C-alpha cells in the first residue's frame, strides 16, 4: 500500500516511521516522503535564526521511543533539534524513504480507482535553484500532508507602508522568516509587528544587539510565561534550582486528563479553575495577574487564561518591556518577587523596549500612526510619540495554503478535518498531521499521536462512536486562528480513541507503584500512551522511570503538594460528584455524553 507523506519535518518523519513500524500483512504500508527542500527539518531548519531555542521542553518534544540524554539541556537550540531529527531519521532508517528536492505540485483523485495521483517535480541537475520541467507522478492509496503550520508568511496590509521603501535611505521591511541574526538590528531603530514568541524573541535580540530604539507592536496583548519556572523569592527564601521545572511538564494527569467525567470535560471547569488559581498565585508571587511578571500588554479579561490563548513562553524581553510600568512597593517586594536576570536589569542596562498598539498607517515621512486606545497603558504612553523606524519586521505568523490539492477532487483542508482534526469524515485516506497547535505543549508529540490515530482509523480499530471534542481552545467565531487545542486533553482523547490510555489498575498491575505514581503526577507525555494498547513500546517504562520521574522530583515536595496533590484531590471530588449525578440521571432515563 503506497503512502505519500508530503513534508520531511518532524510530523512527516514520525508519520513515516509509524507507518513502517505498524505495517502488517493486511496493511502493508509502503511510505515515501516527498520534501521540496535540500534537507530534512522543515521550519526548524529553514526558518531559524541566531540564538533561537525551542520553548517546549525536550521531555515533551522528543518522540516517545527516541529520547535525548538526561544531561542535555531542557530547551534545545533549533540547530540541536534539527540534529535530533537527522539522528531520528538515521536511527529508524527513514533516509531511504525520503526524496529530497521533490516538490509536490498536484494531488488529484483517480476517477476509476479512487486512489491519489501525486504529481511532483525535481530540482534541476544543471541549475539547483530551478525546478525541472519534467512532471513525474506516483499513485498512492493514502496521503499524509505534513507541510506544517509555519510555511507561508502572513503579511497584513498597513496603509502607507509603501512609503517606507521610498525614503532615503529606504526602510528595511521584511517578514521574520528572513531574519537571521543581530547584525540586522544593531544600531537601528527597530519596529516589530506582532507579539507572538518570534516577536518577543526579536525584541530581546534587538535590545541585546544594541538597537537605538525598539518598538514592539501588539494588536490585543499576550499572555507571558517563562518556559521554565524558577527565580522566585518569598520571605527572603529564593527558589533557584540548577534544574528548573519546564512549564509544559507541570499539568498533572489524574483527574485532569485521566478519569475525567464527560460532563466535567464538556464544562471545561478544569481550565477555568486552573486559570482562577494561577492568576491569584501570580499576583502573590509577582504583583500582577496579567501574566508571569507581566505589567503591560494584558489581554482582555474574557481572553485572559490558558483556556483561550497560546501561552507566550518567550519571556526574555519582559524585563525591558516592563521597565516603564512596573510599580510595586518595596515592602511587597520583600515578601515576594520575581527575579529578573541580572544582565537584563539595572545597573547593567536601563534599555526599554516600548510596547505600542499595532500601527494603523505610515505617513509619507515614515512616521508610524498609532490608534487612540485610552484604556491601554501602552497606547497612552506612546500617544504623540514620533516613531520612524529604520527596520520594520513582520512577526505576524503564517497562513496555510494547499494549492497542490486539486479543487475538482474536493479534498478537505485542516479546518475541515472533522475527525479529531486529522481527517474529514468519508475521506479517511487523506490525513493532516501536525496542523493543531497546543496552548501549552509541543506539536511533534501531538503529530506522533495523530499518526497512531490515523493508522488505527485506517485499520478500523478506532473506538466508535467518538466522544465529543472538548479539547479546542475557546475562541470566538471571528478568530483568525482556530486550530488551538489543550495539549493534555487532546493527547488523552486520541489515546482513548485508539485504546492506548491505561487505567490505574493496568499501570499498577503491569508496571508497579513507581510508574503508577509517575502516571498520576506527570503531564500527558506520549510515553504514558505506549504502556498498553496497539502501540505499546518496550522503551516507555524506562523513559517514565527516568526522564518523566525527573520532571516530577524537580518540583520538590512543596511543589508536588501545590501543583499535584491539591488539584488532583479537588478534581477527583468534582469528577466523583459528576459521576454520582450522572448515575442518578441515567436511572431517570437520561444519557451521559
Amino acid at each position: 500500500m503506497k503512502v505519500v507523506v508530503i513534508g520531511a519535518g518532524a510530523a512527516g518523519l514520525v508519520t513515516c516511521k509509524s507507518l513502517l513500524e505498524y505495517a502488517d500483512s493486511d496493511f502493508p504500508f509502503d511510505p515515501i516522503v516527498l520534501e521540496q527542500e535540500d534537507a530534512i527539518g522543515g521550519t526548524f531548519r529553514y526558518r531559524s535564526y541566531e540564538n533561537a531555542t525551542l520553548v517546549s521542553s525536550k521531555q515533551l518534544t522528543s518522540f516517545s521511543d527516541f529520547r535525548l540524554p538526561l544531561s542535555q539541556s531542557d530547551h534545545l537550540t533549533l540547530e540541536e533539534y534539527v540534529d535530533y531529527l537527522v539522528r531520528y531519521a538515521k536511527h529508524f532508517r527513514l533516509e531511504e524513504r525520503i526524496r529530497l528536492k521533490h516538490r509536490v505540485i498536484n494531488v488529484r483523485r483517480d476517477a476509476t480507482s479512487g486512489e491519489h495521483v501525486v504529481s511532483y517535480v525535481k530540482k534541476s541537475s544543471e541549475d539547483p535553484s530551478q525546478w525541472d520541467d519534467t512532471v513525474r507522478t506516483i499513485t498512492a492509496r493514502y496521503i499524509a500532508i505534513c507541510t506544517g503550520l509555519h510555511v507561508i508568511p502572513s503579511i497584513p496590509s498597513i496603509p502607507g507602508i509603501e512609503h517606507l521603501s521610498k525614503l532615503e535611505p529606504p526602510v528595511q521591511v521584511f517578514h521574520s522568516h528572513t531574519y537571521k541574526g543581530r547584525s540586522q538590528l544593531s544600531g537601528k531603530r527597530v519596529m516589530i509587528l506582532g507579539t507572538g514568541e518570534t516577536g518577543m524573541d526579536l525584541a530581546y535580540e534587538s535590545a541585546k544587539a544594541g538597537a537605538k530604539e525598539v518598538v514592539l507592536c501588539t494588536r490585543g496583548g499576550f499572555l507571558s510565561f517563562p518556559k521554565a519556572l524558577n527565580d522566585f523569592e518569598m520571605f527572603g527564601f529564593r527558589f533557584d534550582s540548577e534544574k528548573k521545572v519546564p512549564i509544559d511538564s507541570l499539568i498533572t494527569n489524574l483527574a485532569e486528563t485521566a478519569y475525567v467525567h464527560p460532563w466535567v470535560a464538556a464544562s471545561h471547569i478544569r481550565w477555568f479553575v486552573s486559570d482562577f488559581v494561577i492568576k491569584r498565585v501570580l499576583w502573590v508571587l509577582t504583583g500582577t495577574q496579567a501574566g508571569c511578571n507581566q505589567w503591560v500588554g494584558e489581554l482582555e479579561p474574557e481572553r485572559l487564561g490558558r483556556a483561550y490563548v497560546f501561552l507566550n513562553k518567550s519571556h526574555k524581553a519582559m524585563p525591558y518591556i516592563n521597565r516603564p510600568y512596573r510599580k510595586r512597593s518595596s515592602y511587597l517586594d520583600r515578601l515576594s518577587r520575581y527575579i529578573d536576570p541580572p544582565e537584563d536589569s539595572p545597573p547593567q542596562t536601563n534599555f526599554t523596549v516600548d510596547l505600542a498598539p499595532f500601527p494603523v498607517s505610515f505617513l509619507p515621512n515614515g512616521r508610524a500612526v498609532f490608534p487612540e486606545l485610552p484604556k491601554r497603558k501602552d497606547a497612552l504612553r506612546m500617544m504623540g510619540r514620533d516613531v520612524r523606524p529604520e527596520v520594520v519586521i513582520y512577526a505576524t505568523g503564517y497562513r496555510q495554503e494547499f494549492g497542490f490539492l486539486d479543487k475538482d477532487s474536493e479534498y478537505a483542508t485542516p479546518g475541515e478535518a472533522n475527525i479529531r482534526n486529522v481527517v474529514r469524515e468519508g475521506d479517511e485516506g487523506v490525513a493532516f498531521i501536525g496542523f493543531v497547535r497546543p496552548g501549552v505543549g509541543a506539536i511533534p508529540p501531538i503529530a506522533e499521536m495523530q499518526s497512531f490515530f490515523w493508522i488505527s482509523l485506517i485499520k478500523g480499530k478506532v473506538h466508535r462512536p467518538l466522544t465529543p471534542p472538548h479539547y479546542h481552545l475557546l475562541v470566538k467565531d471571528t478568530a483568525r486562528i482556530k486550530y488551538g487545542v489543550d495539549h493534555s486533553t487532546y493527547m488523552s482523547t486520541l489515546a482513548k480513541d485508539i485504546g492506548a490510555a491505561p487505567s490505574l489498575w493496568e499501570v499498577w498491575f503491569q508496571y508497579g507503584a513507581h510508574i503508577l505514581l509517575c502516571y498520576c503526577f506527570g503531564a500527558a507525555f506520549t510515553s504514558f500512551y505506549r504502556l498498553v494498547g496497539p502501540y505499546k513500546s518496550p522503551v516507555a517504562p524506562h523513559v517514565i522511570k527516568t526522564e518523566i520521574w525527573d520532571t516530577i522530583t524537580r518540583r520538590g515536595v512543596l511543589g508536588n503538594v501545590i501543583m499535584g496533590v491539591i488539584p488532583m484531590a479537588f478534581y477527583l471530588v468534582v469528577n466523583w460528584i459528576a459521576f454520582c449525578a450522572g448515575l442518578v440521571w441515567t436511572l431517570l432515563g437520561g444519557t451521559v455524553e
Side-chain angles (χ1 to χ4, degrees), residues 2-50:
K2 182 66 72 176
V3 185
V4 170
V5 179
I6 304 174
L13 295 177
V14 75
T15 300
C16 179
K17 183 262 183 185
S18 297
L19 288 164
L20 287 170
E21 185 173 6
Y22 294 102
D24 54 37
S25 57
D26 293 327
F27 294 89
F29 299 125
D30 180 22
I32 181 173
V33 183
L34 301 181
E35 169 57 58
Q36 67 177 352
E37 300 289 1
D38 300 341
I40 68 171
T43 289
F44 300 103
R45 181 187 290 271
Y46 292 100
R47 278 160 285 282
S48 65
Y49 46 87
E50 181 183 9

Side-chain angles (χ1 to χ4, degrees), residues 400-412:
Q400 291 75 53
E401 288 184 0
F402 303 91
F404 56 82
L405 293 177
D406 182 63
K407 292 183 180 179
D408 294 334
S409 297
E410 297 183 341
Y411 286 110

